[in-house]
Amino acid sequence: QVQLVESGGGLVQAGDSLRLSCVVSGRPSTTYAVAWFRQAPGKEREFVGGVTWSDGNPYYDDSVRGRFTISRDNVKNTVDLQMNSLKPEDTADYHCAASWGGYSAYPILPKQYEYWGQGTQVTVSA
């Protein structure tokens, strides 16, 4: 029903910036929210930031607030994650995901998202 494809990952140095993009296809109009999650080796998957599809209201985890900016373009059907002042702690596999909604106003749990992209790797060296 919904497909998501991430791109933009890479190898950067601490303090650098990256912009990740998620293309939402299929039936993007059925989504309530699209969010970015990340998972580092040996760590649980964690919420990074999300955006409600209709209103474009972003929300973030405290660990990235002020450094990362999430935005959506419902014409291009993309959700971007602008990452600034990157830290080695940001190293992870980044996935975008789409939620049907009905859980909460600002879903942050992986189980609240039905569709997932394949991921894009972000590596930040010290």
Side-chain angles (χ1 to χ4, degrees), residues 47-58:
F47 171 80
V48 177
V51 61
T52 54
W53 190 257
S54 61
D55 297 333
N57 294 323

Side-chain angles (χ1 to χ4, degrees), residues 24-42:
V24 184
S25 61
R27 297 182 180 179
S29 61
T30 64
T31 64
Y32 169 76
V34 176
W36 286 93
F37 293 81
R38 65 186 181 185
Q39 186 170 23

